[in-house]
Amino acid sequence: MACLSSSQLQKFREDGFLVLEGFLSAEECVAMQQRIGKIVAEMDVPPHCRTEFSTHEEEQLRAQGSTDYFLSSGDKIRFFFEKGVFDEKGLERGPQSWRGDMEISWSLQRNPSTKLAMALARSLGLQMPVVVQSMYIFKQPHIGGEVFPHQDASFLYTEPLGRVLGMWIALEDATLENGCLWFIPGSHTSGVSRRMVRAPAGSAPGTSFLGSEPAWDNSLFVPTPVRRGALVLIHGEVVHKSKQNLSDRSRQVYTFHLMEASGTTWSPENWLQPTAELPFPPLYT
Ligand code: FE2
């Protein structure tokens, strides 16, 4: 399942995204969910680090009270919470919300998708792919937030463009009801509309935006429901979004971003920076 046919490659180049059903088995999905359950059970997030995650510009900037927690998450497991999980004192609101949606950086080397991802990257012709980030997204029932239209390269900027690729693995069915992905097919060919850049060290807020996201025509978005175990390839510049999860089912996903490191400059202005202790790890081992 990890090798692409020429028609699949062509479809990805045309649309900027591609669905590969059956990338992981149901058992592999369950194993990843169990592992993340253990990590969550043991998590310890100090109150001043309880950051709500948002892709909305104003909310992103407001959320920078714990800037260091966010900006230093490149080589650590960090937890980010769904909007509305905390009350005004910064405490969790009771048993309904302690589950609060979180995104968790997680070492790629420790999950079953790695070998398949390597084969897939080779199939895409990547020479030196490195893993720039990974996340576990819960999209919890009733509170899983809307992800506003965006291009991943706005946050993961490279020169030249076209070197960032998302691999998004559904660990549960992603449906119209629980917040599947929506794409504008073919929107990956016109560069990026805005960029999130780091402010000089010690400034607040820690990031700002150059440019702005256009008011995308909602009718251009195509819903992409997938079954548990499916992988969705996401070009770094394709415009995508997901709606709020108002259903009573979560939409758990493991996702990571690769950069073709050969001949590519990772912007030193990106919020996410590799560290001396942990440079972006190569996918091929
Ligand atoms: Fe995205």
Side-chain angles (χ1 to χ4, degrees):
M1 193 61 220
C3 285
L4 299 178
S5 66
S6 56
S7 61
Q8 286 175 315
L9 274 171
Q10 187 180 347
K11 179 103 178 112
F12 177 64
R13 288 183 186 127
E14 286 174 4
D15 291 344
F17 69 97
L18 182 72
V19 174
L20 299 171
E21 291 281 359
F23 184 75
L24 289 187
S25 67
E27 293 73 28
E28 288 169 324
C29 292
V30 169
M32 290 178 76
Q33 290 179 281
Q34 288 174 341
R35 181 171 296 158
I36 207 71
K38 190 165 184 298
I39 292 174
V40 168
E42 294 169 354
M43 76 173 178
D44 179 21
V45 184
H48 72 281
C49 292
R50 293 181 180 187
T51 305
E52 294 176 349
F53 184 85
S54 173
T55 53
H56 191 270
E57 195 161 315
E58 287 179 16
E59 290 172 358
Q60 277 168 346
L61 299 180
R62 268 208 308 274
Q64 299 307 309
S66 46
T67 298
D68 287 347
Y69 190 75
F70 174 64
L71 291 180
S72 64
S73 61
D75 62 350
K76 302 173 184 68
I77 291 179
R78 294 298 207 204
F79 301 88
F80 300 99
F81 293 81
E82 192 61 76
K83 183 183 173 190
V85 164
F86 302 113
D87 66 16
E88 62 282 355
K89 295 176 186 166
L91 302 173
E92 292 133 302
R93 272 190 190 144
Q96 279 304 314
S97 57
W98 70 268
R99 305 171 300 174
D101 198 38
M102 293 168 285
E103 300 198 356
I104 298 175
S105 305
W106 190 26
S107 167
L108 184 67
Q109 279 77 7
R110 290 186 296 158
N111 82 71
S113 64
T114 308
K115 278 189 180 166
L116 291 167
M118 286 167 61
L120 187 53
R122 287 203 170 92
S123 181
L124 285 158
L126 300 183
Q127 304 289 313
M128 290 176 53
V130 295
V131 183
V132 299
Q133 70 167 359
S134 60
M135 294 185 290
Y136 194 99
I137 302 173
F138 288 85
K139 198 95 167 177
Q140 298 282 18
H142 308 298
I143 60 169
E146 178 178 5
V147 176
F148 294 89
H150 68 280
Q151 299 166 290
D152 293 341
S154 293
F155 307 92
L156 310 172
Y157 190 80
T158 60
E159 290 181 356
L161 284 169
R163 302 303 178 93
V164 165
L165 175 72
M167 292 192 179
W168 188 100
I169 303 170
L171 301 178
E172 297 177 307
D173 292 350
T175 66
L176 290 174
E177 291 73 33
N178 70 358
C180 68
L181 291 172
W182 293 66
F183 291 95
I184 300 182
S187 57
H188 59 299
T189 57
S190 307
V192 294
S193 312
R194 61 173 179 153
R195 284 183 56 195
M196 180 196 247
V197 296
R198 271 185 180 241
S203 338
T207 58
S208 62
F209 281 93
L210 305 176
S212 58
E213 198 69 34
W216 298 104
D217 179 350
N218 269 333
S219 69
L220 298 177
F221 284 90
V222 173
T224 313
V226 296
R227 308 262 295 273
R228 161 183 266 186
L231 180 143
V232 184
L233 277 179
I234 305 175
H235 187 285
E237 283 119 80
V238 72
V239 178
H240 56 289
K241 67 175 185 178
S242 68
K243 297 185 178 180
Q244 191 175 1
N245 182 7
L246 296 174
S247 78
D248 55 7
R249 293 184 165 210
S250 60
R251 190 224 62 188
Q252 295 188 16
V253 161
Y254 178 66
T255 181
F256 52 92
H257 284 90
L258 301 176
M259 175 182 70
E260 169 57 86
S262 176
T264 308
T265 302
W266 179 254
S267 173
E269 293 181 306
N270 284 341
W271 70 270
L272 173 66
Q273 293 297 325
T275 63
E277 294 76 30
L278 186 61
F280 294 147
L283 179 68
Y284 300 155
T285 51

